Amino acid sequence: MITVENCLACNSGDLKETSAMVSPFLARRVWDRRPFPVKISRCKRCNFAFFNQRMDEDEERRLYTGYRLSEYRQMRFSCEPWYTETFNANLNTPEVWSMRKGKLADVFREQFRDYKISSILDFGGDRGELIRDLIPGATRYVYEISDVETLPGILPLRSLEACRQHRFDLILSSNVLEHVGFPRQTLGQMQAIATPGTLVFLDIPYESPFSLFTVAKRLTQNGTLLALRPDIGMSLLHSGALVQMHEHVNYFCPQALNQLVDSMGWKILASGVYTLGIYKLGPIKVPSGKMTWCVAQIGDTKQL
């Protein structure tokens, strides 16, 4: 693990640290040990929050190899009894994809109506579900290092070198930056495969590890573990147990995302927030799944 002293979004050194813990699943899958304390840092300048220490490349590989395949699901269920086969299946239903693509289509119609996009790359896009029907007529590529088979009509690129053999009008990255150890390095990889003028669209969950919703969720989950997995539940009786390092190691707000993009020297064209859906609690409707997004244009890639 790697400890950092500056904000990973804006590079400010003005950080506030709070106690946190590595979740039981993450501790077991990556380090084969019980949950252990870490810190979570919040930047006072841009409000970006991130767990500190950071996973290195080998540790990230151990987490995401075979992501959501059988062995992953079994291990996660053993640590998180709410992560059932049904729960996992519901993450990728046609309804979920339809909702996500519908929201993105609305943003794309508004932001890219004056641009001719003949090629699009989904950076970290798995099978290419998100871009399959997003821009009709465009050549569609996915950069994905796993061996997952892409959907018909989606061209797979398995390395950054393979990406450099093509020219992209638009690089899209959705639900990626919250997972990576060093977001600026990930944007640097995008810049390295781009050409001057390439457009970039980023969207990321807009969430906080300190929100009432997150704290209430952790309280419920920790109580469930005490009841159903008491050995694991007892391991979480720690001052930082309500803020747990899991797959999301970064927490973005619009300001933090814009600061990150600006730090790359890219021109920000537009940014905003959208809500994926609405939860109904009786007569009450509660917005859920907020996303923050940014459209930018890459300048001279020789600056790298």
Side-chain angles (χ1 to χ4, degrees):
M1 298 185 81
I2 303 169
T3 302
V4 299
E5 297 181 354
N6 294 83
C7 175
L8 298 172
C10 72
N11 206 38
S12 168
D14 194 4
L15 305 178
K16 179 181 179 180
E17 288 195 334
T18 305
S19 295
M21 287 196 74
V22 175
S23 72
F25 168 69
L26 195 68
R28 180 179 171 188
R29 184 162 182 84
V30 178
W31 296 281
D32 193 24
R33 59 178 291 190
R34 292 168 67 83
F36 57 94
V38 288
K39 297 292 186 181
I40 186 165
S41 298
R42 183 181 64 81
C43 177
K44 296 181 181 179
R45 177 184 172 191
C46 72
N47 287 318
F48 180 64
F50 59 98
F51 288 100
N52 203 358
Q53 301 168 318
R54 313 295 291 169
M55 287 186 284
D56 60 31
E57 289 184 4
D58 288 338
E59 291 164 336
E60 286 184 344
R61 190 175 299 111
R62 289 198 289 272
L63 171 58
Y64 290 111
T65 297
Y67 186 55
R68 290 185 178 164
L69 298 182
S70 177
E71 185 270 340
Y72 169 98
R73 297 196 304 268
Q74 291 174 14
M75 181 182 291
R76 188 160 172 182
F77 176 71
S78 70
C79 298
E80 302 175 2
W82 52 87
Y83 194 89
T84 62
E85 290 292 333
T86 299
F87 179 91
N88 180 74
N90 286 339
L91 296 174
N92 288 288
T93 63
E95 293 76 18
V96 168
W97 281 112
S98 177
M99 177 179 63
R100 284 187 63 189
K101 290 192 288 187
K103 294 291 184 177
L104 278 189
D106 291 341
V107 177
F108 272 44
R109 276 192 295 269
E110 177 67 24
Q111 299 303 323
F112 299 120
R113 60 188 177 186
D114 296 327
Y115 296 91
K116 178 175 176 55
I117 297 175
S118 58
S119 60
I120 178 172
L121 172 70
D122 191 343
F123 194 96
D126 198 52
R127 302 177 64 222
E129 293 94 337
L130 200 58
I131 61 170
R132 188 177 189 180
D133 308 309
L134 195 56
I135 300 182
T139 304
R140 294 154 294 175
Y141 301 88
V142 165
Y143 169 58
E144 178 62 53
I145 60 175
S146 70
D147 293 327
V148 64
E149 184 177 350
T150 57
L151 296 173
I154 308 295
L155 301 174
L157 301 173
R158 303 300 187 190
S159 68
L160 292 174
E161 183 57 38
C163 292
R164 292 189 184 97
Q165 308 308 310
H166 302 273
R167 183 183 180 95
F168 311 110
D169 297 316
L170 172 64
I171 298 175
L172 173 147
S173 181
S174 179
N175 287 268
V176 171
L177 293 179
E178 69 272 22
H179 295 271
V180 302
F182 296 91
R184 193 176 290 109
Q185 289 184 9
T186 301
L187 296 195
Q189 291 175 337
M190 296 179 196
Q191 181 160 326
I193 62 177
T195 53
T198 296
L199 297 166
V200 178
F201 177 85
L202 308 169
D203 75 343
I204 309 165
Y206 179 7
E207 56 187 357
S208 168
F210 310 110
S211 70
L212 289 177
F213 175 81
T214 301
V215 171
K217 181 177 72 173
R218 290 299 182 202
L219 280 169
T220 301
Q221 291 174 342
N222 291 356
T224 300
L225 287 173
L226 281 170
L228 301 180
R229 307 278 196 274
D231 181 57
I232 296 176
M234 292 294 290
S235 71
L236 292 172
L237 296 180
H238 185 277
S239 59
L242 294 182
V243 182
Q244 291 182 25
M245 179 177 173
H246 205 284
E247 290 181 349
H248 288 195
V249 295
N250 305 312
Y251 294 88
F252 284 89
C253 62
Q255 180 184 2
L257 177 58
N258 286 348
Q259 288 277 1
L260 173 64
V261 172
D262 186 67
S263 75
M264 297 297 298
W266 299 357
K267 181 181 179 181
I268 297 175
L269 303 178
S271 61
V273 174
Y274 66 85
T275 300
L276 278 173
I278 299 291
Y279 279 148
K280 293 182 180 180
L281 301 175
I284 302 174
K285 295 181 179 180
V286 181
S288 175
K290 291 171 65 177
M291 304 286 288
T292 179
W293 59 268
C294 178
V295 176
Q297 191 166 38
I298 295 177
D300 186 359
T301 58
K302 294 180 180 179
Q303 293 176 0
L304 279 182

